[in-house]
């Protein structure tokens, strides 16, 4: 492991992550990626520690990824899913967390459909003066930091597998496409990617773009212009290089990476979308549309993918363009890194 | 570990527990409590043994506690919950147990909504002449021995953390408040606490008190007196120091410990209770009501708590009075002790 | 472990299993059976490897058996059940498998209610050029190889516990009784048992016999004869010693082993069966009916048993005749053998 200083006790948001922290995660994950290529993929780092996966919202992929990461660090794991929980018995979420604390949990990995729950639990743990760490595994439409960090690691590793670091993304053009409004993945990615100095371009239908971005529009008049005017233009936001598009093409043009987001099919019934077919035509990524991008463009998706909606089926399986499998593999290494950095801070 | 003799093969009830057995559990749990305060909280005692958690009734708290206890003794664990079981396919409970026996299970931890199921499985295992042990993790309204033992350990550890033992409770006044009728926790606690020589005072509305206690009423006429007469009096039961109250105040008066019980909200629809609010007014424990007790009184609850029903929310979070978190921590140590004592008996 | 050559990468079907492969599994399982009789039942063979149990169809028994087998080989395990899966989110089964591949899974144990799913996943893994192995844990009405191998091991171990091997079954008469039409267990058993040189006799009501066996009927005219004619006769199939009966008695006569199959009670509503009671009278195995067999006949059932339907309750519990518990125990040893043989092939 690289010798680094790491003082962060919880990982709840990427909003205040420093460049040094991003690089520590990237380097530590790179070390673990190397461990994972060995036949015996375990290290004893967290032996005797307990990682509790408290998933108040169902998840197979993220829960398995954290569970495997914990096991490969030799931690003991406890799994909690709300279906079999005391939540239905009237216990509060903080009480549940305190129960796992009292059992001797060292790290809590928390997913909840409400934004702010991991933060609330972390605040309570700090108030109690205990050493338990909280990892946000996705809270409502707020953040999903480990997903954004694994996306970052995946992208940086494409550019330099030996030495992935934040600076590699400087001036790269990265498009984030899809349901940005409801996406905690997008929110976390915007923090990490703009911190890297990349040019980040969001593309979504107006109904799936968050109102909040209006606050960031610079005082060059773009923020005040008519809806029609914005639609086909770009708006540079703050001093971060964040651009918003209501059409796909300007975001894809010369892009180095295209991050697609999962579309919740429920959005259809909420009248935020025309049809899945029309959505795919306008914002779905295909091999043809990729020709607008850099020749060596790569495509990401946090999964699970609705084939033929966010991404065409052939593109998804094309190893030349798709990083989807690499993201899953990175996920274990990055989560090992997070658990390791947080867990080692305890001793 | 203390060198003790332990001959009990199953833990199904506390009805026939000897003082020596109580003290062996308390001392062994104290040793494990010490282990749990270390950074590496594992011991190799049950390495290679299999602990199967057969939970025919859903439980997060107790199942996680047993699972963690088993893992910290280095056992392998198998989890079974009825939702995904063969029970729905027509297999009997004994057949399920025998299947886990045949797979090589060493200890079965069993919860079932019917009283007597763990006993029935233990009897079958003995009939088959196999060495498998059965631990009752709660059966219907019958018993919940590990909960009562962890309550006992928690209370004794308050009095003497270095050397918790049964004798410490002699002549202490302990109130048990709430739905005694439906509580397996109360039933097990009555066995252990009266065995300790404590003065045990039950307080509940008449509709939530078991008829069976009538059998214990002494021949001083109290058992035969009118309902109104008993309501405001005390009835000393057998030669054990067990008292029954239909009001809260006489039970709380000068109490050293107050054990509250979970109220099933379903009782409301069964017309056994007026309203939750009225219940809280009459039997809910608050900081104000605690002034009736000894100044250093402590409050327990087996969890999960309905805040503002059995206990006021502020009291629950008050570390000066509440032992609720300590109970959860004790739970892991006491369950390690039970698994260890039973499991070591096998070799 | 015996030093053997084993080149099979996936275990999907027994259709093409060689005698050498059967014997390698039997001998390896015998070694692990010995390991399981020790107090410490673990071996480090698969340390650091990941076994993912992907059960798209619920199962307690088979999943627990594979999980325990993996843990006893010191592998890390991941459990996936469809209830908490991304399948409901629109992800394809192959995408789910590829996600577990990307996480670093070494062996996938797959159950699905559709025939062919494990084969499809194995084909995809081979196409991708990865070293992941697939074990079929039951696919639709197709095959259940590990069940047939544990049945084989159980039977051979009865004849020679020291040295179970395929040749021991030569000329033994083995009856398979019950719902052959819908049974993946029967299909796999027919491959292994006929390969052994045993005389295999199927007995079932005509509505529960597969049409496909008609293809095997020899050109001695039996295949063409009237339904009534076949009903009370035997039809020798191919050059394998497989016989079909529409009545129980000719199958039981002088049988050395009787394998019963689970009856899905749903068949009742499909009008394939009269009543459970009538079924039990005609095809249920009882102590009385066993008098037709060899004196030392043994009875098997893959479980879970509908007591009083496929087998009478007293017979099921009779250790003189019933191998049902032995089958479960064999299951862990045989699955350890399969995981070991496949997993060791990777290094």
């Amino acid at each position: 492991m690289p010798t680094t200083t790491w003082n962060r006790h919880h990982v709840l948001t990427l909003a205040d992550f420093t460049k040094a922290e991003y690089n520590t995660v990237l380097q530590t994950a790179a070390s673990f990626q190397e461990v994972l290529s060995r036949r015996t993929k375990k290290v004893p780092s967290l032996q005797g520690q307990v990682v509790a996966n408290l998933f108040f919202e169902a998840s197979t992929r993220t829960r398995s990824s954290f569970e495997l990461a914990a096991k490969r660090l030799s931690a003991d794991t406890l799994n909690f899913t709300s279906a079999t929980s005391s939540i239905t018995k009237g216990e509060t979420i903080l009480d549940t967390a305190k129960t796992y604390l009292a059992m001797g949990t060292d790290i809590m990995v928390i997913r909840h459909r409400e934004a702010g729950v991991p933060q609330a639990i972390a605040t309570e743990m700090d108030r109690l003066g205990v050493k338990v760490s909280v990892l946000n595994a996705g809270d409502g439409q707020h953040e999903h930091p480990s997903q954004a960090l694994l996306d970052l690691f995946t992208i940086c590793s494409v550019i330099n597998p030996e030495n992935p670091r934040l600076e590699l993304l400087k001036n790269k053009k990265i498009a984030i496409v899809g349901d940005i409004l409801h996406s905690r993945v997008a929110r976390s990615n915007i923090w990490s990617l703009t911190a890297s100095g990349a040019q980040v371009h969001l593309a979504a239908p107006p109904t799936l773009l968050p109102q909040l971005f209006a606050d960031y529009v610079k005082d060059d008049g773009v923020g005040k212009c008519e809806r029609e005017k914005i639609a086909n233009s770009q708006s540079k936001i703050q001093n971060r290089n964040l651009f918003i598009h209501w059409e796909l093409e300007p975001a894809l043009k010369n892009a180095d990476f295209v991050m697609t987001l999962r579309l919740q099919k429920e959005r259809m019934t909420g009248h935020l979308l025309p049809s899945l077919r029309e959505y795919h035509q306008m914002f779905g990524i295909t091999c043809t549309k990729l020709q607008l991008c850099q020749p060596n463009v790569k495509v990401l998706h946090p999964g699970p993918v609705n084939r033929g909606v966010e991404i065409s089926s052939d593109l998804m399986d094309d190893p030349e363009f798709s990083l989807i499998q690499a993201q899953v593999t990175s996920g274990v290494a990055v989560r090992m890194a997070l658990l390791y950095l947080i867990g080692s801070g305890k001793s």
Side-chain angles (χ1 to χ4, degrees), chain A:
Chain A
M1 292 302 105
T3 53
T4 54
T5 43
W6 177 269
N7 299 312
R8 190 173 288 267
H9 192 52
H10 309 291
V11 176
L12 304 168
T13 168
L14 299 185
D16 60 350
F17 248 58
T18 65
K19 288 190 183 182
E21 287 177 312
Y22 282 117
N23 281 327
T24 300
V25 172
L26 292 174
Q27 287 159 37
T28 310
S31 306
F32 284 123
Q33 192 86 309
E34 190 273 320
V35 167
L36 294 180
S37 66
R38 299 183 207 153
R39 178 165 159 82
T40 295
K41 309 177 188 87
K42 289 185 93 140
V43 289
S45 311
L46 297 190
Q47 191 138 36
Q49 290 199 42
V50 174
V51 175
N53 293 308
L54 308 185
F55 275 64
F56 298 93
E57 182 184 78
S59 160
T60 298
R61 176 183 296 258
T62 306
R63 200 257 306 142
S64 287
S65 183
F66 269 112
E67 187 178 346
L68 193 53
K71 285 181 171 174
R72 287 183 159 171
L73 294 167
S74 303
D76 285 320
T77 58
L78 284 179
N79 286 311
F80 162 99
T81 51
S82 57
T84 55
S85 85
S86 291
I87 295 298
T88 50
K89 296 187 187 172
E91 193 181 50
T92 71
I93 289 163
L94 284 185
D95 289 342
T96 302
K98 280 191 270 188
T99 297
Y100 279 88
L101 162 67
M103 280 187 205
T105 297
D106 297 286
I107 300 176
M108 294 183 188
V109 178
I110 294 171
R111 166 167 291 195
H112 198 284
R113 69 191 162 80
E114 303 277 351
V117 167
Q119 173 69 65
I121 292 174
T123 302
E124 178 69 7
M125 295 296 141
D126 292 345
R127 193 187 66 78
L128 295 170
V130 293
K131 287 201 285 181
V132 168
S133 291
V134 175
L135 258 168
N136 180 1
D139 62 328
Q141 297 171 11
H142 177 226
E143 284 220 36
H144 193 350
S146 66
Q147 178 70 42
L149 290 169
L150 76 86
D151 289 342
L152 184 69
F153 178 71
T154 306
I155 291 177
C156 292
S157 295
V158 165
I159 304 175
N160 186 340
E162 301 300 312
N163 189 8
R165 56 195 193 282
L166 200 63
E167 295 71 28
L168 295 170
L169 297 192
K170 192 160 178 65
N171 294 324
K172 297 289 180 188
K173 178 170 176 180
I174 302 175
I176 303 181
V177 177
D179 182 359
I180 306 210
L181 177 60
H182 301 95
S183 174
R184 53 195 178 207
V185 175
R187 277 172 184 70
S188 289
N189 266 319
I190 287 168
W191 289 119
S192 56
L193 296 177
T194 55
S196 74
Q199 309 286 319
V200 182
H201 291 252
L202 312 182
T207 50
L208 296 179
L209 266 172
Q211 183 63 32
L212 75 90
F213 284 121
D215 303 344
Y216 291 93
V217 176
K218 282 190 116 181
D219 48 16
D220 58 357
V222 181
K224 284 175 189 151
C225 66
E226 302 304 303
R227 176 178 162 144
E228 286 70 26
K229 212 167 155 196
I230 293 186
N232 295 307
S233 77
Q234 293 180 346
S235 45
K236 189 169 177 180
I237 282 170
Q238 279 198 338
N239 58 352
R240 296 198 173 219
N241 295 317
L242 183 61
F243 305 85
I244 301 176
H245 309 274
W246 290 0
E247 291 187 342
L248 182 61
E249 287 66 24
L252 289 194
K253 197 171 178 193
N254 295 319
D256 297 283
F257 295 95
V258 179
M259 308 182 85
T260 57
L261 300 172
R262 179 172 169 75
L263 193 74
Q264 311 289 330
K265 288 185 181 166
E266 310 83 273
R267 304 304 170 213
M268 292 291 301
T269 55
H271 302 295
L272 296 176
L273 277 177
S275 71
L276 290 181
R277 197 173 155 188
E278 196 175 332
Y279 176 86
H280 182 64
Q281 260 183 337
M282 293 176 63
F283 289 93
I285 307 298
T286 61
C287 292
T288 311
K289 289 182 189 166
L290 281 191
Q291 293 173 1
L292 289 166
C293 308
Q294 294 288 348
N296 58 350
V297 64
K298 302 290 180 194
V299 178
L300 297 93
H301 190 292
V305 177
N306 295 302
R307 282 174 175 267
V309 180
E310 305 100 338
I311 303 183
S312 65
S313 204
D314 58 339
L315 174 56
M316 183 176 165
D317 296 330
D318 190 330
E320 191 186 334
F321 296 112
S322 171
L323 290 178
I324 296 173
Q325 297 304 307
Q327 284 173 282
V328 177
T329 304
S330 298
V332 179
V334 165
R335 284 164 182 137
M336 285 177 80
L338 291 173
L339 293 171
Y340 170 83
L341 289 167
I342 279 176
S344 304
K346 286 187 204 314
S347 60

